[in-house]
Amino acid sequence: MWAKKTTFSCVGTCGGCAIALLDGSICTKASAQSCGECIQVAETCGWCSDENFLTVGQSKSARCDDLESLKKRKCAANKIENPRGSIAVNKDKPVTNRKDVAEKLKPEDITQIQPQKLTLTLRSGEPQTFQLKFKRAEDYPIDLYYLMDLSFSMRDDLENVKNLGTDLMEEMRKITSDFRIGFGSFVEKTVMPYISTTPARLLNPCTGNENCTSPFSYKNVLKLTEDGDEFNKLVSQQQISGNLDSPEGGFDAIMQVAVCEKDIGWRNVTRLLVFSTDAGFHFAGDGKLGGIVLPNDGRCHLENNMYTMSHYYDYPSIAHLVQKLSDHNIQTIFAVTEEFQPVYKELKNLIPKSAVGTLSSNSSNVIKLILDAYNSLSSEVILENSKLPEGVSITYQSICKNGVESSGDNGRKCSNISIGDEVFFKISIESQKCPSHGKSEIIKIKPLGFTEEVEVVLNFICDCQCAAEGQPKSKKCSGGNGTFECGACKCNEGRIGLSCECSKDEVRTEDLDANCRKDNGTDICSNSGDCVCGICECKKRENPAEVYSGKYCECDNFNCDRSNNKLCGGHGRCECRKCICDANYTGSACDCSLDTSTCLAKNGQICNGRGTCDCGICKCTNPKFQGPTCETCPTCPGVCTEHKDCVQCRAFDAGPKKETCEQECSYFNLIKVSDRDKLPQPTDQSYPLTHCKERDANDCWFYYTYAIRNDTKEVYVVENLECPAGPDIIPIVAGVVAGIVLIGLALLLIWKLLMIIHDRREFAKFEKEKMNAKWDTGENPIYKSAVTTVVNPKYEGK
């Protein structure tokens, strides 16, 4: 996303802008001595070219300030130098939009990116933004070069590739009518220990009865052609070779395919390189094993279509390959076996616009792999730019299919683009400084894998237009010691001062310093400035609205008295450390109003006749009275009755003022408390307080306090009413019943107790009489025994 520049300005009196005018602070801090220096500080800085703009004590750099401050300092708009950047489109050929799909166009007549050339005029800190359109063209030509590993392990793959030309040509014709194909092969560097250098192995590196061709580094078998049969014919003639180690020399081959454009036959169209292998790769540094230490030079070394310098130059590095592939707009497809997928996927992450496909063990799926990889690569566009000049930055914002927007790193690319789709990029270029040489620069922006590019010419605003009208050796500059431009003197080398009147060697002399003292007992320039050529140039403050002034910098506009944290109370201006008050205000800080209208009471008297009006505020002479006009007496009789109805309606939504409560009773702040103990107490307050107890229509009591504190009326009220409690029937009935039951139980217990005592007494009396009784032992005359004895007369006692 593009940084959004914000200009802050100071509003109000001087000294009140500690945070505002941030950009202005940058401008004044820079101490720019010329208009050119000023406009390089920030895009918000301007230079006042009015010759009479500066006041006494101000330095030349005071002409440089933010635009709003210059206007407030009475610099005319036509005297403010503020050059702005611009954008000019030099070449804007529309993207190709074919009405007839069968229409044949030459590659150079197809346009996929618009515009093609722009000129940007840049001012430091001011970004210039333009929009770039990309449209994926229909029937765009394709060049495909098939680079194959011909080491011994790929012998079965070669058989399947022999018919690749016509089959692939047939499939690619469905995508484009202009398709060319080429073929190349690689094995390894032809030195030990990569291959065996014995004479027999040099002729046939394979073992057993295998008939293999001599090892080689890279061979361009067939340059790009439209003849698929020719591809099949030449590939059929290829033989497998062999080497000793597992990694192959594929990087040497890729480098030669990229840089040897004429030998390969690359056109300025979509360029695809299919790299087919079942092994890993050697890279920069591995050549030391064979005694090869010279870095790869990235140049073409093909003779008779053979790479002849493999024994002389080391393998290229990955970064070197990335650069060359990008420079030549080649998109790489790695067709590798499952075993080496992880390695080449990591390599893909390092090479932009590349893809990885899984090659079957015998390359039978190579056509499908190529088609899938091509569709993946062609459906994504990624923008890149050439090296930026020092101090220049670029940001991207993409507007992709369906209006999806991205920024940052993702702002460079769009995915899932179909043929005929249009996407847009907003590109912002910003310069932070002028280049040292001051000349134009050129950068190029292009989509990776495409030959088309956008040329952007950068011109830099390094000076103001008024500088071109300068007067060299002007008499206004101390008899020709400088150039008078943009309302000020631009001194020659070795000269200083507003009018270039001094030499640098004379700056610190005592005679000149004496001219900068108000009297002998004061500091040079009141210790608030520097003595330059006998003239005080006052220092600058962190806040540019705060200014030192005066011939000896003895004055300022920020050290006056303050009131309510405002300079001169906000009712005046500070001049030379004294407040100049507005009308109807007086005092050292302009904090005393002479207007008595604020002291008038309702009866028309000033302060209700009970005080004096001092600076627009009543000072009550009777301590019982208070308020802004001495009309309030919180401790006078009748306060509770006066406010009873309003307290009742606001606190309990009841009372005679219930319907008109909002209109008549909003003059005080109501605070509810839970109980009477929470009410403010007179002993705790520094202001008069009245405690009130009032009864409502239901004979309920409510308690509140009324007070005036800091001109604010406050009422604290207990939120719960205190009402007389009625009889509770249930407890009474329950109590009566319980009482009757308890009394009955008590009576029964007493009766039982008395009966027990009575029985015990009777029993004791009976026992006592029993003990004392005397009974007659004679026979009862009426007693007759129950036993009768009869004698048997015949019993003889035997």
Side-chain angles (χ1 to χ4, degrees):
M1 296 294 289
W2 290 268
K4 184 177 181 181
K5 298 290 182 177
T6 303
T7 304
F8 298 94
S9 61
C10 176
V11 179
T13 58
C14 297
C17 310
I19 299 177
L21 282 173
L22 180 60
D23 288 336
S25 178
I26 295 174
C27 301
T28 54
K29 279 183 182 178
S31 297
Q33 297 299 308
S34 68
C35 186
E37 291 180 17
C38 178
I39 63 173
Q40 299 304 315
V41 177
E43 66 160 323
T44 56
C45 297
W47 177 273
C48 186
S49 59
D50 186 353
E51 186 176 348
N52 301 316
F53 175 67
L54 298 181
T55 59
V56 177
Q58 287 187 314
S59 63
K60 189 191 306 181
S61 61
R63 293 180 177 273
C64 183
D65 207 339
D66 73 281
L67 303 179
E68 290 298 321
S69 293
L70 288 176
K71 292 177 183 177
K72 289 178 181 178
R73 291 168 59 192
K74 310 302 182 186
C75 182
N78 62 344
K79 292 292 184 179
I80 297 177
E81 293 292 327
N82 180 35
R84 312 309 297 178
S86 62
I87 298 176
V89 179
N90 308 116
K91 187 177 181 181
D92 193 25
K93 183 180 178 182
V95 293
T96 301
N97 187 14
R98 296 190 185 184
K99 297 180 180 179
D100 184 4
V101 179
E103 181 184 1
K104 299 294 181 182
L105 293 175
K106 294 181 180 180
E108 57 268 22
D109 294 331
I110 300 175
T111 303
Q112 297 184 106
I113 193 166
Q114 178 189 1
Q116 294 78 40
K117 183 177 180 181
L118 305 95
T119 299
L120 271 60
T121 303
L122 300 178
R123 175 180 168 177
S124 296
E126 180 188 18
Q128 296 297 327
T129 303
F130 60 92
Q131 183 168 278
L132 186 149
K133 180 199 292 186
F134 177 87
K135 179 183 179 182
R136 187 178 167 192
E138 302 90 343
D139 197 29
Y140 195 71
I142 299 174
D143 285 351
L144 186 147
Y145 192 85
Y146 195 91
L147 182 61
M148 185 174 180
D149 176 7
L150 285 187
S151 59
F152 186 75
S153 59
M154 294 285 286
R155 63 187 182 280
D156 54 343
D157 300 77
L158 182 59
E159 291 300 320
N160 287 309
V161 175
K162 288 179 179 180
N163 296 321
L164 178 65
T166 53
D167 294 343
L168 183 59
M169 187 77 69
E170 182 179 347
E171 292 295 329
M172 294 301 289
R173 293 290 187 194
K174 299 176 183 178
I175 299 174
T176 175
S177 60
D178 189 356
F179 176 71
R180 301 199 308 170
I181 189 171
F183 184 83
S185 58
F186 66 92
V187 181
E188 187 54 277
K189 287 185 180 294
T190 54
V191 296
M192 283 289 289
Y194 312 111
I195 66 168
S196 175
T197 56
T198 61
R201 291 297 181 206
L202 285 176
L203 292 175
N204 184 5
C206 300
T207 59
N209 297 324
E210 296 288 343
N211 185 23
C212 300
T213 188
S214 299
F216 57 91
S217 176
Y218 162 66
K219 182 193 302 182
N220 179 26
V221 177
L222 175 67
K223 68 185 302 184
L224 293 164
T225 178
E226 297 178 355
D227 190 349
D229 294 330
E230 179 72 10
F231 180 94
N232 294 348
K233 176 183 174 182
L234 288 177
V235 173
S236 299
Q237 298 172 2
Q238 301 306 304
Q239 285 182 294
I240 292 296
S241 184
N243 60 322
L244 296 180
D245 62 341
S246 176
E248 314 294 3
F251 276 15
D252 274 341
I254 294 176
M255 178 62 76
Q256 293 303 302
V257 171
V259 299
C260 299
E261 288 195 348
K262 291 184 179 179
D263 298 273
I264 303 300
W266 292 117
R267 297 177 295 170
N268 285 332
V269 296
T270 298
R271 299 176 176 181
L272 299 178
L273 170 61
V274 180
F275 182 83
S276 175
T277 184
D278 64 348
F281 49 82
H282 284 296
F283 52 89
D286 288 354
K288 292 181 180 179
L289 295 172
I292 303 172
V293 296
L294 284 178
N296 194 289
D297 65 349
R299 296 181 180 179
C300 182
H301 296 288
L302 291 184
E303 293 183 11
N304 297 322
N305 288 323
M306 297 289 290
Y307 179 40
T308 58
M309 302 297 285
S310 66
H311 64 287
Y312 192 76
Y313 288 116
D314 193 5
Y315 302 99
S317 66
I318 295 175
H320 199 181
L321 272 186
V322 171
Q323 177 194 346
K324 292 300 180 182
L325 290 172
S326 176
D327 290 345
H328 295 274
N329 305 306
I330 296 174
Q331 304 176 62
T332 310
I333 301 172
F334 296 104
V336 297
T337 54
E338 182 71 34
E339 179 184 358
F340 288 94
Q341 281 287 307
V343 175
Y344 282 91
K345 283 182 178 178
E346 290 296 326
L347 181 61
K348 166 191 171 294
N349 294 333
L350 300 175
I351 302 178
K353 291 292 281 186
S354 62
V356 178
T358 303
L359 189 69
S360 61
S361 59
N362 58 2
S363 296
S364 59
N365 68 331
V366 67
I367 292 180
K368 183 178 183 303
L369 185 153
I370 291 172
L371 292 175
D372 291 344
Y374 168 74
N375 290 329
S376 173
L377 290 173
S378 61
S379 66
E380 183 178 52
V381 58
I382 303 175
L383 296 186
E384 68 168 0
N385 53 268
S386 60
K387 184 179 179 182
L388 297 173
E390 184 180 359
V392 175
S393 61
I394 186 169
T395 56
Y396 295 84
Q397 180 184 2
S398 61
I399 306 172
C400 302
K401 198 172 180 179
N402 299 323
V404 178
E405 297 188 14
S406 300
S407 58
D409 290 339
N410 292 329
R412 291 174 172 264
K413 62 184 179 180
C414 283
S415 303
N416 300 320
I417 304 174
S418 303
I419 292 175
D421 286 345
E422 290 185 357
V423 294
F424 299 89
F425 296 88
K426 288 183 179 179
I427 303 173
S428 182
I429 299 178
E430 181 178 349
S431 172
Q432 295 301 329
K433 63 177 182 179
C434 262
S436 55
H437 54 73
K439 297 179 181 178
S440 298
E441 297 277 2
I442 295 177
I443 63 172
K444 294 184 178 181
I445 302 171
K446 68 174 184 178
L448 282 173
F450 295 85
T451 56
E452 297 176 66
E453 61 185 15
V454 179
E455 181 179 318
V456 182
V457 180
L458 304 180
N459 295 326
F460 300 90
I461 301 175
C462 297
D463 212 336
C464 300
Q465 188 175 356
C466 59
E469 304 170 359
Q471 305 170 16
K473 298 182 180 180
S474 173
K475 293 181 180 179
K476 296 179 181 180
C477 302
S478 186
N481 285 315
T483 300
F484 187 78
E485 63 179 43
C486 302
C489 285
K490 187 175 182 179
C491 300
N492 296 335
E493 186 69 27
R495 305 293 296 187
I496 58 174
L498 281 176
S499 303
C500 310
E501 64 271 25
C502 287
S503 169
K504 288 184 178 180
D505 299 332
E506 303 171 354
V507 173
R508 303 302 298 174
T509 61
E510 292 184 3
D511 290 340
L512 291 176
D513 287 349
N515 294 331
C516 296
R517 299 179 188 269
K518 192 172 184 179
D519 52 58
N520 291 333
T522 58
D523 294 328
I524 294 176
C525 298
S526 306
N527 203 29
S528 298
D530 299 316
C531 186
V532 180
C533 298
I535 298 174
C536 284
E537 290 190 0
C538 302
K539 293 179 181 178
K540 297 174 183 176
R541 298 273 296 174
E542 186 76 18
N543 180 358
E546 298 177 353
V547 180
Y548 290 109
S549 60
K551 183 178 179 180
Y552 304 102
C553 303
E554 72 277 14
C555 296
D556 63 60
N557 65 347
F558 54 87
N559 271 325
C560 293
D561 290 341
R562 294 175 179 266
S563 177
N564 294 327
N565 203 29
K566 292 181 180 179
L567 193 68
C568 297
H571 301 297
R573 64 186 185 277
C574 182
E575 291 186 4
C576 205
R577 301 182 181 179
K578 289 185 179 180
C579 285
I580 306 299
C581 299
D582 297 338
N584 289 329
Y585 285 93
T586 185
S588 62
C590 301
D591 54 351
C592 184
S593 174
L594 301 178
D595 184 10
T596 59
S597 61
T598 56
C599 297
L600 289 177
K602 293 179 181 179
N603 57 13
Q605 292 182 311
I606 292 179
C607 299
N608 196 30
R610 301 181 185 276
T612 59
C613 186
D614 188 3
C615 296
I617 299 173
C618 279
K619 293 186 177 179
C620 304
T621 54
N622 189 333
K624 290 185 179 182
F625 288 86
Q626 52 184 265
T629 55
C630 302
E631 292 180 276
T632 305
C633 181
T635 58
C636 294
V639 170
C640 294
T641 304
E642 178 184 354
H643 303 292
K644 168 190 172 182
D645 292 342
C646 280
V647 173
Q648 188 179 4
C649 81
R650 287 189 59 184
F652 307 106
D653 194 24
K657 292 188 178 182
K658 177 180 178 180
E659 302 298 330
T660 59
C661 194
E662 291 186 5
Q663 292 79 15
E664 299 183 22
C665 300
S666 59
Y667 58 87
F668 59 83
N669 292 336
L670 182 72
I671 301 99
K672 292 184 179 182
V673 296
S674 58
D675 53 62
R676 293 169 62 183
D677 295 335
K678 300 291 180 63
L679 291 173
Q681 302 301 318
T683 56
D684 301 332
Q685 307 299 322
S686 57
Y687 47 86
L689 178 74
T690 302
H691 275 258
C692 300
K693 176 182 178 182
E694 296 293 335
R695 179 183 292 171
D696 64 9
N698 298 322
D699 287 335
C700 295
W701 294 96
F702 58 93
Y703 300 86
Y704 67 92
T705 62
Y706 180 84
I708 298 178
R709 178 168 55 177
N710 298 330
D711 297 332
T712 301
K713 298 174 182 178
E714 292 182 346
V715 172
Y716 283 79
V717 62
V718 179
E719 59 185 354
N720 297 318
L721 293 168
E722 191 176 288
C723 299
D728 197 344
I729 303 300
I730 295 176
I732 293 174
V733 172
V736 171
V737 172
I740 294 172
V741 173
L742 290 174
I743 292 172
L745 290 174
L747 291 173
L748 286 174
L749 289 174
I750 294 172
W751 175 79
K752 182 64 176 176
L753 181 62
L754 293 174
M755 291 303 295
I756 292 172
I757 295 172
H758 177 268
D759 288 346
R760 285 184 177 179
R761 286 179 178 174
E762 290 296 321
F763 181 74
K765 183 179 178 182
F766 168 76
E767 287 292 331
K768 184 177 180 181
E769 288 179 352
K770 181 181 177 182
M771 291 293 296
N772 296 328
K774 294 181 178 181
W775 300 97
D776 188 2
T777 59
E779 188 177 347
N780 187 355
I782 65 173
Y783 172 76
K784 195 172 186 178
S785 175
V787 180
T788 303
T789 303
V790 178
V791 178
N792 188 356
K794 291 183 176 183
Y795 177 70
E796 294 179 357
K798 291 181 180 180

